[in-house]
Amino acid sequence: MKKVDHDFVYRIGKWTAATAVGTWAQIPGMVKLLLLFMLLDMLTGILSAFVQKSLCSQDGARGVAKKALILILVGTAHLASDQFHLGLDLGSAVSFAYMVNELVSIVENCAHAGIPIPGQLLDALAKFKPKRSKADG
């Protein structure tokens, strides 16, 4: 049986943690908030599906893929802002737009799970709900 080099494992773990913290520190605040909203949306979506007894891994995978595409859009907007010296943080603006979408989805997930949502909140959020295109079905 091979002996595990605990010092090596410790150094790798320490390096990984330092890299993760350093990377997280470089992410703009609006993107961090978007990531938090995405996590909350996924959590409320899973809980809502559990309450409705309609958990489906394909739906979950489709949702994760959409969120990955959103993050690609946000990253591309940040790169464009930096590369073309636009003088504004386009990536944070795109992040904010998608945060509103995530907030609407969180409230919808809670409503589908049977949580009572005040009518005024539903009315206000309905104004931000994205319009469905023909491609969406």
Side-chain angles (χ1 to χ4, degrees):
M1 181 140 218
K2 218 173 187 184
K3 187 176 178 184
V4 175
D5 183 0
H6 294 289
D7 186 51
F8 176 74
V9 172
Y10 173 76
R11 282 187 280 143
I12 291 293
K14 195 171 157 182
W15 177 84
T16 303
T19 302
V21 169
T23 302
W24 183 256
Q26 297 299 317
I27 297 173
M30 289 296 279
V31 178
K32 289 178 186 176
L33 281 173
L34 175 61
L35 289 168
L36 176 64
F37 277 43
M38 286 179 160
L39 180 66
L40 292 172
D41 180 38
M42 287 190 292
L43 181 62
T44 58
I46 291 168
L47 292 173
S48 175
F50 178 78
V51 167
Q52 297 177 48
K53 297 180 181 165
S54 64
L55 276 173
C56 176
S57 61
Q58 286 181 337
D59 290 344
R62 196 171 15 262
V64 169
K66 286 181 179 182
K67 290 184 188 324
L69 290 170
I70 289 169
L71 291 174
I72 289 171
L73 284 173
V74 169
T76 302
H78 271 289
L79 289 173
S81 291
D82 290 345
Q83 189 65 32
F84 300 123
H85 308 290
L86 298 177
L88 62 117
D89 188 0
L90 189 58
S92 290
V94 172
S95 295
F96 180 78
Y98 281 107
M99 281 172 43
V100 172
N101 189 44
E102 295 295 324
L103 178 62
V104 170
S105 181
I106 290 167
V107 173
E108 286 176 344
N109 289 338
C110 291
H112 291 155
I115 305 297
I117 308 294
Q120 296 90 340
L121 178 59
L122 290 174
D123 293 342
L125 290 176
K127 295 175 186 173
F128 294 106
K129 189 169 182 171
K131 305 282 187 259
R132 287 192 157 271
S133 67
K134 289 181 183 179
D136 290 337

